[in-house]
Amino acid sequence: MSELEFFLDDKKSGSATETPGARKNSCPAASLKPADGKKIYDLAIIGAGPAGMTAAVYASRKMLDTILITKDIGGQPLLTSKIENYMGYQYISGKALIEKFDEQVRKFPIAVVENDGAADLKKDGDKFCVTTESGKTFRAKSAVIASGKRSKELGVSGEKRLLGRGVAYCSTCDAPLFAGKDVVVVGGGNSALTAVADLLKIARKIYLVNNLADLQGDPVLLGKTESPAVEKILPATVAEIHGKDSVEAVSVKTPDGKIRRIMAQGIFIEIGLEPNSAFARGLVDINFAGEIKVDCRSRASVEGIFAAGDVTDVPEKQIIIAAGEGAKASLGAYRYLVGLKK
Ligand SMILES: Cc1cc2nc3c(=O)[nH]c(=O)nc-3n(C[C@H](O)[C@H](O)[C@H](O)COP(=O)(O)OP(=O)(O)OC[C@H]3O[C@@H](n4cnc5c(N)ncnc54)[C@H](O)[C@@H]3O)c2cc1C
């Protein structure tokens, strides 16, 4: 019997004197537990960024038997060194904020599958079945999709092969590895301009390549590109990344068809983010941008499936918004599960 069933039975017999979540001593501390492929969970949460971690806490406080399936613990905040807009902290690093979230999640008895992503989400009778990238399957009566976004790839030769060996997607994480080196930054928005600002303190020369003739960023960041250490190559596209064991050069193509080979030891690809929604395609409605469509109660188009955070079509992608949506999604799932029992 799951915690939810226990609570509902308890209520039916008239013996429940406390609200679920207020029951004391029922959630041992630091109690993340191994996942069980045989049982049927009340709720499967996919993703452990701000949305998924908040959803996990809210689900546990509602006594839902919950499994959290995730590629990592933390998501995008791990890519930023400085957060100044999460209430309660005037300044906190992404890593420190995630440590706080993680500490709170670990107070509850949640089953966790880490370092393994959802590859497929299907309806299986009146349940949902998640198949992971490593081939494991887990079943639950409801699901919260909180799989966020990831960096877009260029899709050029050399990009995948040299990933982590000169090819990077996060200047906050990797800029310090390029001290005194020549690097290419690809993109024209705030992410690319932030990468230029980060690298100006570290690299020798920065080539800024964008497929449009203009840069679209905040004025303060645009100002950084006026440094003599920055050469703008606009408009141009990356044709190929070269190198045997690490990046040695980057070829860029200009609109007149000319190819220029830039000698550089690194390339930062900062061309935006895309939603991690492929595993749910065909099951729930998705918009033109790949985001899962939700209503104001965080419900996706299939009953029993909820979604929260950057993977959804909710406007504004921020930590505090993702966390709030994660809370809403779990409370929605709880309401749905209580409805199933009636
Ligand atoms: C560089 C940078 C700086 C930022 N700075 C700020 C800031 O200062 N303030 C602010 O409010 N916001 C900031 N943001 C935005 C903020 O980080 C996001 O809005 C927020 O993290 C979204 O949370 P999320 O939980 O929806 O998704 P994510 O943080 O993307 O987390 C998604 C989770 O899902 C997991 N996952 C992905 N695919 C799968 C799968 N198939 N199966 C299972 N798990 C999966 C991931 O591993 C991760 O755990 C920044 C973002 C970036 C990239």
Side-chain angles (χ1 to χ4, degrees), residues 47-48 50-51 70 72 76-77 85 117-118 147-149 309-310 317-319:
T70 187
D72 74 5
Q76 294 172 64
N85 52 8
S147 43
K149 289 196 164 178
D310 280 17
K317 312 302 185 198
Q318 289 286 283
I319 298 168

Side-chain angles (χ1 to χ4, degrees), residues 44 46 69 120-124 127-132 136-140 143 279 283:
I46 299 170
I69 300 162
D120 188 44
L121 173 64
K122 270 201 179 65
K123 203 157 164 55
D124 177 14
K127 313 279 182 300
F128 296 103
C129 179
V130 185
T131 305
T132 68
K136 297 188 191 98
T137 55
F138 299 100
R139 287 192 301 155
F279 62 88
L283 180 65

Side-chain angles (χ1 to χ4, degrees), residues 50-62:
M53 291 169 99
T54 308
V57 168
Y58 270 74
S60 289
R61 284 179 51 80
K62 285 294 187 190

